[in-house]
């Protein structure tokens, strides 16, 4: 009876793992693909031009926003917020940039994107480009953007993502979610190859980080700090053994 | 002399705990009244109040459990009177320093003093080091006490015996480990671990403070260590109370002593291991924490709490179901306390489930569940012990008066007070707000209701206080 009880309990406990794993792994998403080359997708711009992303980036570094025109969620606030933040972003006065709004919905046509640009009153803004591409899946997988189609709502479940691409076509920075003008300023600086200190970097004064980030490989390795987290448990079990040995030797 | 000394010290611990408990409840009521808009505190004063309320409550119910365990442990092994006295003196000094740093120095970084808050000085400059040194003083006193009790047990029992490993496969082992010894050792080892975590934490914080910026800490490391210490000690103090219940509940109820069975042994060994990993659930919102540790946090939360709760509830139900019980105030408090602990525990496990935590994190659901297993769980475990101790060892015996009234007030006040938290939590009202903006339409009403019910709870505690206090004071003043 108790064995059945224990088995049931273990199944109950394990059943929640799926829930835990199913949560959006925001974790290191913003760091994924940094310093990698964005897929050179051919674009059809609403002006009628045909150009690739790398060609566009070579003219001016890019802020790429991924949207779809039938979106009833985050796409509209993302564009409005970006438009507004670009007006107030600090330290970008002399910086070059273009904003490329690409649809990730294969149903969207150039006309749909043109309507979207008109809706935001951006159709005549020189440094805003609205485009579609026939290579969307390769483009979004190169920046780790993963929209999921939901049959119930007939909408994509997706992040609000801005990707910064420098003139050489490298991803320099990503921003997830609706971000303020300060973050947008850092993004613009990063695509202009200006150092943007978004995280406190390991320094000589910081000895015990939990993780050490290697910008060349883009990977984290456990740091000395992790040892400090394990230390109390290790020490207490050693103390337990030590006390027992001492009391045993005294009683002999 | 030493046994008498332990008895007297236990009485002093009880007096100190009761006085600080009443004062801390009053601080809690003031906070809820402020949130309800009935009184007005400056935000800094509110947070100083919150800091001292939280840390005092954790501290006093930890030492209450330790004092009870120390007293009962004398039945099995000889414990150190000097370690007990040293802990008492250090606790008094530590508490005075804490109250001075918060109420006079205005230190108000919360009882979790999350990094880098203690170094963002918004109070008297001396209050930060005094607060940290207060924790160091308390830590040293408690560390010595815990080590002395562990040493006392390990003189008599081997490591495998003290953790009842011989019970895993053998129904009638040669050496039987009493449940009290098993659970005490499990708790003491857990307390030792979290106190070592506190030592590491304080050393790192002192290093930053006294290096004037030459050395800076890693925020993720400090948060992990803070909750390793804070979460673990808050759980272990409950287990100390449970050790006392395993010993006293059958005894007071006139039932045979509980024995360690294979499932009791396994359950408590699981708790020993997994409670040390459960604190990771406090870092679900810290995106830089690796996902693997978040999953460990969720699994450990289940595996630490459910087995020990299961066997305890099973043991209590077997003890009371269709059996003739000698009910008294003490075992009624134990019984209700276990119900409070289980209800709070379920609330905690709900919150420790990652998908739920997205909704409940930092809402009033959090104080709801931890007040459940503290105010209506652990407090009642210790109150049951205090009552039993004061009646059993006092010369002022006699009929306990107003028992029904005390219990009624305790239940009414406790349940009402907790319900206000739970309802607010379910409505996503945030915690740690000194006052609520108008958008939270029900927040003020619920806070005021919480304060009213907490006052009823306080009246019940004062009724307990008066009888227990007199008896314990008598014991302290008695000439040996």
């Amino acid at each position: 009876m108790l064995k059945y009880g224990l088995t049931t309990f273990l199944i109950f406990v394990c059943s929640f793992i799926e829930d835990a794993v199913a949560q959006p792994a925001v974790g290191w998403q913003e760091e994924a693909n940094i310093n990698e080359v964005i897929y050179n997708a051919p674009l059809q711009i609403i002006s009628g031009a045909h150009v690739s992303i790398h060609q566009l980036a070579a003219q001016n570094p890019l802020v790429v926003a991924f949207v779809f025109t039938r979106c009833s969620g985050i796409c509209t606030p993302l564009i409005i917020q970006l438009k507004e933040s670009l007006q107030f972003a600090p330290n970008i006065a002399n910086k070059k940039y273009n904003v490329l709004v690409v649809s990730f919905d294969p149903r969207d046509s150039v006309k749909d994107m043109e309507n979207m640009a008109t809706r935001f009153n951006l159709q005549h803004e020189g440094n805003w480009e609205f485009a579609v591409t026939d290579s969307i899946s390769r483009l979004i997988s190169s920046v780790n953007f993963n929209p999921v189609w939901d049959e119930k709502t007939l909408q994509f479940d997706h992040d609000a993502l801005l990707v910064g691409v420098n003139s050489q076509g490298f991803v320099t920075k990503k921003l997830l979610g609706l971000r303020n003008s300060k973050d947008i300023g850092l993004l613009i600086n990063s695509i202009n190859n200006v150092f943007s200190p978004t995280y406190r970097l390991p320094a000589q004064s910081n000895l015990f980080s939990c993780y050490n980030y290697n910008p060349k490989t883009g990977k984290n390795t456990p740091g000395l700090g992790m040892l400090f987290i394990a230390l109390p448990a290790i020490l207490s079990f050693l103390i337990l053994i030590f006390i027992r040995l001492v009391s045993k030797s005294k009683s002999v | 002399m030493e046994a008498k000394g332990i008895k007297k010290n236990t009485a002093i611990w009880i007096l100190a705990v009761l006085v600080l408990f009443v004062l801390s409840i009053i601080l809690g009521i003031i906070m809820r009244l402020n949130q309800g808009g009935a009184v007005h505190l400056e935000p800094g004063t509110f947070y100083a109040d919150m800091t001292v309320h939280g840390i005092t409550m954790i501290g006093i119910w930890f030492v209450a459990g330790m004092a009870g365990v120390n007293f009962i442990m004398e039945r099995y092994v000889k414990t150190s009177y000097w370690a007990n006295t040293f802990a008492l003196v250090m606790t008094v000094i530590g508490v005075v320093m804490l109250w001075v740093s918060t109420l006079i120095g205005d230190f108000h970084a919360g009882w979790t003093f999350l990094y880098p808050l203690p170094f963002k000085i918004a109070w008297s400059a001396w209050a930060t080091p005094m607060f940290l040194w207060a924790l160091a003083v308390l830590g040293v006193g408690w560390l010595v006490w815990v080590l002395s009790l562990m040493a006392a047990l390990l003189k008599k029992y081997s490591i495998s015996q003290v953790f009842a490993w011989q019970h895993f496969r053998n129904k009638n082992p040669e050496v039987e480990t009493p449940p009290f010894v098993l659970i005490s050792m499990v708790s003491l080892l857990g307390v030792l671990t979290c106190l070592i975590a506190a030592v590491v934490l304080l050393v790192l914080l002192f290093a930053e403070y006294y290096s004037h910026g030459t050395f800076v800490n890693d925020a993720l490391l400090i948060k992990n260590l803070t909750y390793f210490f804070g979460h673990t000690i808050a759980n272990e103090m409950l287990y100390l109370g449970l050790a006392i219940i395993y010993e006293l509940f059958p005894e007071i109820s006139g039932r045979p002593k509980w024995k360690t069975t294979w499932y009791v042994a396994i359950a408590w060994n699981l708790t020993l291991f997994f409670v040390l990993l459960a604190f990771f659930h406090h870092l679900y919102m810290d995106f830089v924490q690796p996902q693997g540790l978040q999953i460990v946090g969720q699994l450990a939360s289940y595996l630490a709490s459910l087995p020990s709760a299961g066997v305890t509830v099973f043991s209590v139900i077997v003890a009371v179901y269709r059996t003739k019980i000698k009910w008294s105030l003490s075992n009624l408090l134990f019984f209700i306390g276990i119900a409070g602990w289980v209800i709070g525990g379920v609330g905690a496990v709900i919150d420790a489930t990652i998908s739920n935590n997205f909704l409940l994190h930092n809402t009033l659901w959090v104080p709801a569940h931890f007040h459940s297993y503290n105010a209506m769980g652990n407090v009642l475990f210790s109150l049951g012990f205090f009552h039993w101790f004061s009646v059993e060892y006092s010369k002022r015996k006699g009929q306990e008066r107003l028992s029904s009234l005390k219990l009624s007030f305790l239940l009414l006040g406790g349940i009402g007070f907790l319900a206000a938290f739970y309802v607010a939590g379910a409505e996503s009202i945030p915690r740690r707000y000194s006052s609520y903006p108008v958008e939270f339409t029900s927040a003020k009403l619920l806070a005021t209701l919480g304060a009213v019910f907490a006052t009823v709870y306080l009246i019940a505690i004062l009724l307990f206080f008066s009888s227990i206090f007199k008896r314990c004071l008598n014991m302290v003043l008695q000439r040996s």
Side-chain angles (χ1 to χ4, degrees):
Chain A
M1 179 67 187
L2 272 159
K3 278 178 192 166
Y4 290 123
L6 277 175
T7 313
T8 315
F9 171 67
L10 284 174
I11 292 170
F12 166 74
V13 167
C14 292
S15 67
F16 285 94
I17 296 176
E18 200 189 340
D19 266 359
V21 179
Q23 299 310 316
V26 175
W28 300 104
Q29 265 186 37
E30 280 195 355
E31 306 219 0
N33 311 106
I34 301 294
N35 295 329
E36 290 176 11
V37 178
I38 193 169
Y39 177 68
N40 192 16
L43 303 169
Q44 199 179 344
I45 312 276
I46 57 171
S47 62
H50 290 264
V51 63
S52 74
I53 282 203
H54 286 190
Q55 286 170 332
L56 206 58
Q59 294 167 18
N60 269 329
L62 296 175
V63 174
V64 186
F66 292 94
V67 299
F68 70 109
T69 58
R70 293 166 186 81
C71 182
S72 60
I74 196 72
C75 295
T76 300
L78 175 68
I79 300 299
I80 291 174
Q81 175 91 1
L82 179 59
K83 186 182 168 187
E84 191 179 301
S85 297
L86 283 168
Q87 294 170 19
F88 303 107
N91 306 319
I92 64 164
N94 303 319
K95 303 290 181 305
K96 291 181 183 174
Y97 68 91
N98 272 355
V99 180
L100 171 65
V101 183
V102 190
S103 167
F104 59 84
D105 184 350
R107 294 172 303 170
D108 278 339
S109 62
V110 177
K111 188 72 191 160
D112 291 328
M113 291 305 283
E114 198 177 339
N115 289 340
M116 188 181 213
T118 311
R119 203 164 73 236
F120 295 122
N121 204 18
L122 287 166
Q123 74 276 30
H124 301 305
E125 287 289 328
N127 58 347
W128 283 76
E129 305 282 7
F130 285 75
V132 294
T133 174
D134 54 11
S135 308
I136 190 62
S137 43
R138 294 175 80 174
L139 175 60
I140 60 176
S141 72
S142 75
V143 293
N144 199 26
F145 177 64
N146 304 303
V148 178
W149 179 252
D150 184 351
E151 274 299 335
K152 280 186 202 158
T153 57
L154 298 176
Q155 289 281 309
F156 285 98
D157 184 5
H158 68 99
D159 290 319
L161 176 68
L162 298 176
V163 179
V165 180
N166 70 7
S167 305
Q168 291 77 41
F170 284 92
V171 175
T172 60
K173 190 170 175 61
K174 288 162 72 176
L175 294 178
L176 274 172
L178 298 178
R179 305 294 278 267
N180 59 23
S181 52
K182 192 181 165 197
D183 287 348
I184 300 297
L186 290 172
L187 180 67
I188 301 291
N189 274 283
S190 80
I191 59 178
N192 280 275
N193 299 324
V194 176
F195 172 66
S196 56
T198 48
Y199 301 103
R200 185 159 77 187
L201 293 171
Q204 283 185 334
S205 58
N206 189 329
L207 301 175
F208 308 123
S209 292
C210 289
Y211 299 99
N212 298 319
Y213 178 65
N214 183 340
K216 283 186 183 163
T217 60
K219 286 187 177 161
N220 273 292
T221 47
L224 203 55
M226 288 305 268
L227 183 68
F228 279 64
I229 297 174
L231 198 64
I234 297 166
L235 276 180
S236 9
F237 281 96
L238 289 176
I239 290 170
L240 173 83
I241 295 165
F242 176 75
I243 295 175
R244 175 60 190 164
L245 288 176
V246 169
S247 39
K248 207 175 161 185
S249 64
K250 273 189 183 170
S251 62
V252 171
Chain B
M1 181 258 166
E2 292 211 351
K4 275 188 184 171
I6 296 275
K7 195 174 89 178
K8 196 169 256 190
N9 272 4
T10 308
I12 297 172
W13 281 114
I14 293 173
L15 294 175
V17 165
L18 285 175
V19 170
L20 288 171
F21 186 41
V22 168
L23 293 174
S24 299
I25 295 177
I26 293 169
L27 290 177
I29 292 171
I30 293 171
M31 276 194 282
R32 289 302 263 162
L33 286 174
N34 185 68
Q35 288 174 325
V39 298
H40 176 71
L41 299 177
E42 288 303 315
T45 312
F46 174 90
Y47 290 112
D49 185 341
M50 191 179 84
T51 305
V52 77
H53 169 85
I55 205 151
T56 306
M57 287 295 196
I58 291 287
I60 58 175
W61 294 109
F62 166 70
V63 295
M66 284 289 288
V69 161
N70 192 159
F71 183 77
I72 295 196
M73 202 180 280
E74 281 279 312
R75 292 176 172 192
Y76 297 97
V77 291
K78 187 166 163 34
T79 65
S80 165
Y81 166 69
W82 299 109
N84 188 312
T85 309
F86 178 70
L88 183 57
V89 172
M90 295 296 266
T91 302
V92 171
I93 296 170
V95 167
V96 170
M97 287 169 74
L98 270 179
W99 281 60
V100 169
S101 68
T102 46
L103 296 184
I104 298 175
D106 202 29
F107 179 85
H108 53 267
W111 91 266
T112 47
F113 51 99
L114 277 177
Y115 179 82
L117 282 182
F119 302 135
K120 303 285 175 197
I121 312 281
W123 40 77
S124 308
W126 54 264
T128 289
M130 181 173 262
F131 181 85
L132 295 176
W133 279 112
L135 295 183
V137 167
L138 291 170
V140 169
W142 297 348
L143 202 58
V144 169
W145 197 8
V146 166
L147 285 171
S148 83
L149 292 183
M150 281 174 66
L153 286 174
L154 288 167
K155 259 184 210 163
K156 182 171 173 182
Y157 300 95
S158 69
I159 289 178
S160 61
Q161 287 166 353
V162 84
F163 291 115
W165 294 342
Q166 76 278 22
H167 288 270
F168 288 176
R169 288 196 157 270
N170 195 345
K171 275 190 177 176
N172 298 304
E174 219 170 277
V175 180
E176 276 200 25
T177 308
F180 172 79
V181 169
L182 165 66
I183 301 167
S184 296
M185 193 61 192
V186 164
S187 314
L188 291 171
L189 188 59
V191 172
L192 174 66
T193 311
C194 66
L195 288 179
I196 293 174
V199 170
V200 178
L201 172 67
L202 285 173
V203 167
L204 289 172
L205 291 176
F206 280 132
E208 180 162 342
Y209 184 79
Y210 288 113
S211 76
H212 303 290
T214 316
F215 168 82
V216 288
N217 277 296
D218 181 77
L220 185 65
L221 170 63
I222 296 293
K223 189 166 180 187
N224 271 293
L225 286 172
T226 302
Y227 281 106
F228 195 162
F229 158 65
H231 174 86
T232 312
I233 201 166
N235 275 258
E236 299 294 355
M237 67 188 198
L238 279 158
Y239 302 148
L240 291 169
L242 285 169
I244 297 168
I245 288 182
Y246 270 72
E247 179 77 12
L248 290 185
F249 189 85
E251 182 180 313
I252 297 171
S253 307
R255 306 286 307 152
K257 249 180 182 303
W258 291 350
K259 290 193 168 184
T260 300
T261 55
W262 66 267
Y263 52 86
V264 169
I266 287 175
W268 283 100
N269 275 274
L270 280 174
T271 299
L272 165 71
F273 180 71
F274 285 108
V275 78
L276 300 180
L277 299 169
F279 75 91
F280 287 126
H281 65 219
H282 284 274
L283 286 104
Y284 287 158
M285 294 295 149
D286 294 76
F287 69 92
V288 284
Q289 185 90 331
Q291 199 179 29
L293 293 184
Q294 313 287 32
I295 294 168
V296 167
Q298 178 170 311
L299 293 182
S301 304
Y302 295 140
L303 290 165
S305 57
L306 297 182
S308 55
V311 295
T312 306
V313 171
F314 177 72
S315 305
V316 171
I317 288 174
V318 167
V320 301
Y321 185 64
R322 291 193 176 172
T323 50
K324 206 174 173 192
I325 289 279
K326 217 165 67 182
W327 286 107
S328 72
L329 200 51
S330 286
N331 58 8
L332 272 169
L333 285 167
F334 289 153
F335 189 79
I336 300 166
I338 285 173
W341 169 55
V342 171
I343 292 166
V346 170
V349 167
I350 289 172
D351 194 23
T353 305
I354 293 174
S355 48
N356 300 333
N357 193 267
F358 278 95
L359 292 174
L360 298 173
H361 192 90
N362 266 349
T363 67
L364 283 173
W365 186 272
V366 183
H369 77 67
F370 69 65
H371 277 96
S372 299
Y373 54 66
N374 283 318
M376 289 302 281
N378 197 25
V379 169
L380 305 201
F381 299 165
S382 289
L383 219 51
F385 168 75
F386 292 175
H387 178 259
W388 169 83
F389 172 85
S390 69
V391 172
E392 195 76 9
Y393 297 97
S394 163
K395 288 183 178 168
R396 295 168 57 110
K397 296 200 193 287
Q399 194 68 33
E400 182 70 23
R401 289 187 303 169
L402 306 172
S403 294
S404 308
L405 186 73
K406 287 175 188 169
L407 282 177
S408 308
F409 273 33
L410 196 71
L411 279 169
L412 177 72
I415 291 170
F417 160 66
L418 294 174
F421 269 143
Y422 277 113
V423 173
E427 290 197 5
S428 294
I429 295 169
R431 69 169 171 149
R432 294 181 181 148
Y433 272 40
S434 61
S435 55
Y436 292 111
V438 286
E439 284 78 7
F440 296 112
T441 47
S442 55
K444 287 192 173 194
L445 174 67
L446 287 167
T448 310
L449 280 174
V452 170
F453 281 108
T455 309
V456 178
Y457 180 86
L458 174 64
I459 294 169
I461 294 300
L462 286 171
L463 290 171
F464 278 107
F465 181 99
S466 65
S467 56
I468 295 171
F469 197 88
K470 274 181 214 156
R471 294 192 203 108
C472 286
L473 194 62
N474 251 3
M475 270 186 246
V476 174
L477 298 176
Q478 250 171 34
R479 285 191 177 185
S480 50

